[in-house]
Amino acid sequence: MSSEVITAGRTDRLLIGGQWCVPLTVAEPADVHDPSTGRVIGRVPVGGAADVDRAVAAAKDAGRQWRMTAPEFRADLLDEVAQRIEDRIDEFASAITAEMGAPLDNARDVQTQLAIDVFRSYAGIAREFVWEEPLRAGIVRHEPIGVVGAITPWNYPLYLASIKIAAALAAGCTVVFKPSLDTPLDGFLLTQTIVEVARYMGAPTGIVNLVSGRGTIVGEAISTHPGIAAVSFTGSTAAGRRVSAAASATIKRVGLELGGKSAAIVLDDGIDLETALSGALANVYYNSGQTCTACARILVPHYRYDDAVAIAEQITRRWTIGDPRLPGEHIGPIATRSQYESVIEYLNSGVTEGAQLVAGGLPDADQVPEHLRAGNWLLPTLFADVRPGMTIEREEIFGPVALLMAYADETDAVRTANDSIYGLSGAVWGADHERVLDVARRLETGRVVINGGPFDVLAPTGGYKQSGNGRELGVHGLLEFLEVKVLQMPLTGGQMGPRS
């Protein structure tokens, strides 16, 4: 172990117990690529099961003190973390842009700002939460569950790490954190920042420990480790199944935020079609379509379908690709090469199965600046004539690909939207407020966005069906990391209740 002072920007060792550690596992470091150019921009260590053991030991050691701290102290620490991220917002945003290709204003004003907002939200929740509740003859206590394993993906790397880590710390838990090997740089910055704050405030520095590595090794070790009480995973449904199965041997609590194939329903109640389609398509194309809650299936009334296709084509062609180092109205590349190749396969599948490629697809050479041509570039893409059962209609594409579908009536629209193994999100666009709410209530999803309503970090998010289980954000996210204990006392007057 190294005893060197934590410094911003270091990524060559694991961060365990507040110290820089050479991995016990002997493995070549992993290259981090800039998806806009294909160039290597960094390297991070590849840990293994022995490193997870070491991180769990550090987290358990820190947890003996951390779980006993006052909620107000934990809240102060979370506020200080938020402030330090804000003080270095450009550094965090630059890392996100470099490693996953989000345009600079996306990386700064959305992804990093959301992380700041999440830490502050959990500071407020920790202060306001009722940690003990009286019963008729006793007390209900909420206690930290223990060490939390946090496994995060590459699409919103800082934000998705923050919602797990901030909630766990607010609850009095400690964390073993595995960021995606594709986008680990911001995760190192975040962990370093938390350790810096912990040391500054006199908290144990092992409250958050970072072990970078492969999901099949480090993720598996976290999921199976008997010293980890809860695992919080965000990623694909296939990977979520593996995490859940691995965790079952130790009966640990598992929270899964997985894939989606969400639908946006445009009602036939006089809603302006261009307004609705502009909002619906922005939801699909933003972040290059790499948003698990994106409503890629856009359902419009059959008698307005031709107009919808024409309007959606015009809107789609206004979206452009561009250098992610610049802010502006453009999208960046697909974040990883494997995901890029997967999206291309889906485009080919859509055409083969009879969908109409209205706009987008692979760009021509002159649509991409010369210095970016080795990147993972895909134009915002629109398919029409999409029918239920097509591969692109059933499976999550996770790219900037929108699907226009016609429906016969409201019942048909709801049936089509719900006809999925997923149930993560949904949207309804309409002029009649009560009708919109009625349709929203009938959708089998964990969230429904109505007429483009703004995102709220206090609102719980999570899925129905194979989109996962558990909830993140807000009080519901805190509860995922708390155990419930009853202190049962004699009734007044000397009477005793049941003893078991």
Side-chain angles (χ1 to χ4, degrees):
M1 270 192 188
S2 164
S3 59
E4 297 173 58
V5 173
I6 301 302
T7 55
R10 184 165 188 174
T11 60
D12 62 336
R13 295 188 184 182
L14 308 177
L15 188 47
I16 299 174
Q19 297 181 315
W20 292 113
C21 303
V22 176
L24 297 175
T25 305
V26 178
E28 279 295 308
D31 291 337
V32 181
H33 293 86
D34 176 348
S36 70
T37 65
R39 296 173 186 154
V40 175
I41 56 171
R43 306 188 88 196
V44 296
V46 174
D51 300 299
V52 172
D53 287 341
R54 187 164 46 164
V56 172
K60 291 182 76 170
D61 184 59
R64 294 185 184 95
Q65 177 184 341
W66 182 247
R67 68 184 291 118
M68 302 304 293
T69 56
E72 292 77 12
F73 178 77
R74 300 199 293 269
D76 289 345
L77 183 140
L78 295 174
D79 273 334
E80 182 66 21
V81 170
Q83 186 58 53
R84 295 202 185 193
I85 297 173
E86 187 168 46
D87 291 343
R88 292 159 56 188
I89 193 169
D90 291 329
E91 184 178 2
F92 277 93
S94 294
I96 294 168
T97 292
E99 67 189 351
M100 65 80 59
L104 195 57
D105 48 351
N106 169 334
R108 175 192 168 97
D109 302 334
V110 176
Q111 299 207 33
T112 306
Q113 186 60 52
L114 277 175
I116 295 167
D117 294 345
V118 164
F119 273 96
R120 286 188 173 139
S121 76
Y122 274 109
I125 289 168
R127 292 188 180 100
E128 297 171 5
F129 186 73
V130 179
W131 297 90
E132 291 193 351
E133 307 168 55
L135 289 173
R136 183 168 61 102
I139 297 171
V140 174
R141 283 177 51 82
H142 298 276
E143 298 184 347
I145 194 170
V147 179
V148 172
I151 304 173
T152 57
W154 45 258
N155 56 323
Y156 288 86
L158 179 65
Y159 161 67
L160 292 172
S162 297
I163 62 180
K164 301 177 189 305
I165 293 172
L169 294 180
C173 298
T174 54
V175 180
V176 175
F177 169 42
K178 190 200 90 65
S180 167
L181 267 188
D182 292 307
T183 56
L185 305 181
D186 69 276
F188 275 80
L189 282 175
L190 176 61
T191 310
Q192 291 169 37
T193 299
I194 295 170
V195 170
E196 290 168 357
V197 171
R199 184 167 286 137
Y200 167 74
M201 295 186 65
T205 53
I207 55 175
V208 176
N209 306 272
L210 184 150
V211 181
S212 51
R214 308 193 187 286
T216 52
I217 298 174
V218 173
E220 179 86 4
I222 289 173
S223 301
T224 59
H225 202 290
I228 290 180
V231 173
S232 181
F233 171 83
T234 300
S236 70
T237 294
R241 293 188 188 104
R242 293 193 292 271
V243 168
S244 187
S248 66
T250 49
I251 320 296
K252 57 172 54 70
R253 190 177 299 174
V254 179
L256 302 172
E257 204 266 5
L258 307 176
K261 192 65 183 182
S262 305
I265 298 175
V266 180
L267 296 181
D268 60 346
D269 63 352
I271 182 74
D272 179 71
L273 205 53
E274 182 151 2
T275 298
L277 289 173
S278 292
L281 289 167
N283 171 261
V284 180
Y285 297 146
Y286 189 76
N287 205 45
S288 301
Q290 299 163 136
T291 304
C292 49
T293 55
C295 298
R297 296 183 294 154
I298 302 174
L299 312 183
V300 298
H302 69 93
Y303 70 91
R304 304 187 76 184
Y305 188 72
D306 290 343
D307 290 341
V309 172
I311 293 170
E313 179 180 2
Q314 293 174 359
I315 295 169
T316 296
R317 293 189 185 281
R318 290 199 291 265
W319 283 80
T320 59
I321 54 178
D323 192 332
R325 288 157 194 79
L326 302 175
E329 294 296 321
H330 60 270
I331 65 171
I334 304 297
T336 75
R337 194 68 184 183
S338 61
Q339 183 60 30
Y340 175 63
E341 292 169 353
S342 173
V343 176
I344 292 173
E345 288 181 7
Y346 278 115
L347 298 189
N348 293 334
S349 169
V351 173
T352 299
E353 293 183 18
Q356 178 190 357
L357 182 60
V358 176
L362 291 170
D364 296 329
D366 61 0
Q367 292 177 285
V368 182
E370 186 173 354
H371 69 289
L372 301 176
R373 287 179 186 167
N376 306 328
W377 294 101
L378 188 72
L379 296 169
T381 299
L382 176 67
F383 275 105
D385 298 338
V386 178
R387 299 184 304 277
M390 286 183 172
T391 301
I392 58 172
E393 193 268 341
R394 306 295 292 176
E395 298 181 11
E396 184 176 41
I397 298 175
F398 220 62
V401 183
L403 315 175
L404 271 184
M405 303 177 68
Y407 67 83
D409 55 30
E410 195 173 281
T411 299
D412 182 41
V414 172
R415 181 173 54 246
T416 299
N418 288 339
D419 184 20
S420 173
I421 64 169
Y422 301 111
L424 189 59
S425 188
V428 184
W429 293 83
D432 184 329
H433 182 66
E434 290 305 317
R435 189 174 171 192
V436 168
L437 287 178
D438 176 67
V439 172
R441 291 185 179 106
R442 292 156 63 190
L443 295 181
E444 297 168 354
T445 66
R447 178 175 73 181
V448 182
V449 178
I450 294 172
N451 289 334
F455 184 76
D456 182 359
V457 295
L458 291 175
T461 184
Y464 286 22
K465 299 184 278 190
Q466 293 188 39
S467 285
N469 54 58
R471 292 295 181 266
E472 296 187 299
L473 295 175
V475 173
H476 294 81
L478 181 75
L479 293 171
E480 295 289 322
F481 302 127
L482 293 174
E483 291 282 22
V484 176
K485 176 187 285 184
V486 173
L487 305 182
Q488 195 164 303
M489 305 176 191
L491 290 169
T492 56
Q495 296 179 340
M496 296 285 289
R499 300 188 64 182
S500 61

